[in-house]
Amino acid sequence: VESIGYAAFTGFLKVESLSFAEGSRLTTLEAFAFQGFSNLEEFTLPSGLTNLHYDAFSDFPRLKNIFVDLLLVVIIFRIL
């Protein structure tokens, strides 16, 4: 999977952690790709991610940790 589209995953109420497999080919997360995960406390973004819509993650009231590759942070800040 290289892209996760608009509102692909919505309302997974029991998920507490979200991460992608090492070597993931995911490059794009569209708007609201993940929405309404009311128990999600942390997620890890894959290092190959290059296109991240600002609203890809929405409505996570319990979110505590976001883990991200340093290279991805540089790419995101260049976009902003």
Side-chain angles (χ1 to χ4, degrees):
V1 174
E2 294 179 3
S3 177
I4 297 179
Y6 180 87
F9 297 97
T10 302
F12 286 75
L13 304 177
K14 295 184 179 187
V15 175
E16 293 180 5
S17 177
L18 175 66
S19 62
F20 299 90
E22 188 171 327
S24 170
R25 294 176 49 189
L26 184 65
T27 60
T28 303
L29 289 176
E30 298 291 342
F32 306 109
F34 297 94
Q35 178 182 11
F37 286 52
S38 59
N39 286 312
L40 189 73
E41 294 183 0
E42 65 181 40
F43 65 82
T44 303
L45 296 175
S47 60
L49 192 65
T50 55
N51 300 300
L52 178 64
H53 190 277
Y54 71 91
D55 238 355
F57 295 92
S58 176
D59 191 20
F60 295 147
R62 298 184 68 199
L63 186 63
K64 296 177 184 174
N65 298 305
I66 301 170
F67 300 100
V68 61
D69 185 281
L70 183 57
L71 179 59
L72 178 61
V73 172
V74 172
I75 292 169
I76 290 172
F77 282 121
R78 285 187 180 170
I79 292 171
L80 298 175

